[in-house]
Amino acid sequence: MSTATGLDLLVIGGGLHGCATALFAAKHGMRVTVLEKDSVARHASGTNAGGVRRLWRNLKEVPLANRSMEMWKHIGDIVDDDCGFQQVPQIKVAENAQDLDLLRERADLMSSNGFDHERMIDQAELRDFLPAVNADCVGGLMSEDGFALPWQTTAAFARKARALGVNILSGIEAKHIYKDAQHWRVETSEGAFTSGALLNCAGAWAGGIAAQLGDPAPVEPVAPLMIVTQRMRPFCNAVVGTARRPLSFKQMENGTVVIGGARLGRVDTRQNRTDIDFAELTHTARTARDIFPVMRGAVIQRTWSGIEARTPDQLPVIGRSMRHKNAYHSFGFSAHGFQLGPATGSLLADFIATGKLAPEIAPFPIDRFASTDANTLEKVFAT
Ligand SMILES: Cc1cc2nc3c(=O)[nH]c(=O)nc-3n(C[C@H](O)[C@H](O)[C@H](O)COP(=O)(O)OP(=O)(O)OC[C@H]3O[C@@H](n4cnc5c(N)ncnc54)[C@H](O)[C@@H]3O)c2cc1C
């Protein structure tokens, strides 16, 4: 492959964040290329649970999640594809009185910060939303959120970006990064690329790219576990979690039930490989069965996990490099970055193109990890 020159922006990583930022940068008239070492949506962006969730987000993420939600509601206008998006309630179920107290505390925290999208529901309302929920559950916290289809969504962002002139190249791995005067030179498995600006959207591999830029960050790869069942009669029209136990539970239109949560498998980023931890999956299945007794009759059809990037504070890194004016990062979404994709891409592209940093992405600078000790980083990069 010949060397590509004359680029305004070179994006490393063809997941949702790389493709979305490329799309919006192209709308600013930038000449953009995306390098993807495998294929678009091959990793977290194509394998996730599809939760478009604002409920229970870290306060720092709420304005960004709200902004993204407004975009999800019009996603077809943005990428010419409905992305399988459906607006349904997200509900955190309280299994007992202590859970209810915890959910009330959260509802109070949100309202005292001026956010009104999360509200308490009592036992009767919970049962109206979820007729099949365990009779012992005493209430919940809900917001009007939804879910979408991850692979379809990421592919739609890539397709729209291409239609706007973005060059998305699969099977090309960015290897060595050099700065030459004001330009970046990236040596890849298929030749070299030069560009005025560089964006690191490399997901679970982003720590290595950041380190090459002199911005070491303690991002680690993790492998969230997922289950999908055989088809069941319709019984749930919401995305359901619990107050204290990890769970993300939804029934798809075809009757299958997709179950995830914060349980993790094992990951080897060098081999692009994950392994299922069946003991962990048993906990997930047990929680699902406790919340919905009908799940006792469920048959697991398939399990999988994807490779995701997690930071110590479980917040993403979004913004400019500590050392270079023309390098940017967007990674470390810590298993909840799918919902954030549209707004992060749009606001980060605005920042790259105009230098104006929107308040929604300002809370996530990479320099919050500047004092991370060398031992921690060494452990992360040895993973
Ligand atoms: C099982 C699972 C369930 C999840 N559930 C949800 C959910 O319900 N809701 C939610 O909001 N979020 C969820 N997430 C999180 C969400 O999927 C991620 O936060 C988001 O997709 C991250 O997107 P990304 O573009 O940053 O990373 P990725 O999709 O991982 O993309 C990064 C890309 O960079 C490429 N790359 C890396 N290094 C290089 C290199 N040197 N050269 C070229 N390319 C490179 C990789 O091959 C990869 O394709 C879940 C994640 C998983 C794994």
Side-chain angles (χ1 to χ4, degrees), residues 91-285:
I91 301 175
K92 259 195 187 295
V93 169
E95 296 180 72
N96 50 46
Q98 291 78 22
D99 285 2
L100 259 191
D101 289 343
L102 183 70
L103 297 182
R104 263 195 219 100
E105 261 175 48
R106 165 72 182 190
D108 291 346
L109 175 75
M110 294 302 280
S111 56
S112 64
N113 279 278
F115 299 118
D116 59 6
H117 60 280
E118 296 187 15
R119 70 173 179 90
M120 292 297 293
I121 51 177
D122 63 17
Q123 195 171 32
E125 209 178 348
L126 176 68
R127 220 156 307 299
D128 284 346
F129 278 118
L130 303 172
V133 78
N134 190 319
D136 293 342
C137 293
V138 290
L141 181 73
M142 68 155 288
S143 63
E144 284 298 339
D145 291 340
F147 65 89
L149 298 179
W151 195 90
Q152 182 178 332
T153 300
T154 307
F157 271 84
R159 197 164 49 241
K160 183 69 183 187
R162 281 191 172 113
L164 293 171
V166 174
N167 195 14
I168 301 182
L169 302 172
S170 289
I172 298 190
E173 180 176 0
K175 288 181 179 286
H176 304 292
I177 301 172
Y178 304 98
K179 198 164 183 198
D180 165 18
Q182 289 315 304
H183 284 80
W184 292 101
R185 177 181 164 82
V186 177
E187 289 182 355
T188 76
S189 46
E190 304 284 336
F193 291 75
T194 58
S195 174
L198 187 70
L199 171 61
N200 172 15
C201 286
W205 297 262
I209 304 289
Q212 285 202 53
L213 299 181
D215 291 337
V219 57
E220 63 170 342
V222 290
L225 293 166
M226 299 294 306
I227 295 172
V228 61
T229 70
Q230 289 184 359
R231 292 173 190 219
M232 300 178 72
R233 284 178 195 280
F235 66 91
C236 177
N237 190 24
V239 183
V240 180
T242 82
R244 290 179 203 270
R245 294 198 273 172
L247 181 70
S248 144
F249 183 104
K250 69 178 80 68
Q251 187 171 28
M252 309 304 284
E253 237 167 348
N254 67 2
T256 59
V257 178
V258 176
I259 313 167
R263 303 273 176 194
L264 301 176
R266 291 173 289 271
V267 59
D268 178 348
T269 46
R270 291 192 180 100
Q271 306 288 331
N272 264 357
R273 185 189 161 99
T274 57
D275 284 316
I276 302 297
D277 182 329
F278 286 95
E280 285 296 297
L281 266 192
T282 305
H283 291 296
T284 303

Side-chain angles (χ1 to χ4, degrees), residues 2-3 10 17 22 55 125 135 140 143 192 197 224 237 254 277 312 314 336 339 357 371 375:
S2 60
T3 300
L10 184 64
H17 287 274
L55 186 69
E125 209 178 348
S143 63
N237 190 24
N254 67 2
D277 182 329
Q314 309 228 5
H336 46 260
Q339 193 274 354
L357 183 65
S371 60
N375 282 344

Side-chain angles (χ1 to χ4, degrees), residues 288-329:
R289 193 195 57 190
D290 290 349
I291 301 300
F292 290 106
V294 65
M295 290 301 290
R296 285 174 197 278
V299 177
I300 293 177
Q301 174 74 23
R302 189 164 65 87
T303 64
W304 77 93
S305 74
I307 303 181
E308 168 66 329
R310 186 171 70 182
T311 63
D313 57 10
Q314 309 228 5
L315 291 171
V317 169
I318 307 170
R320 205 194 296 272
S321 151
M322 277 187 289
R323 293 176 194 275
H324 308 281
K325 271 191 147 178
N326 55 350
Y328 304 85
H329 301 286

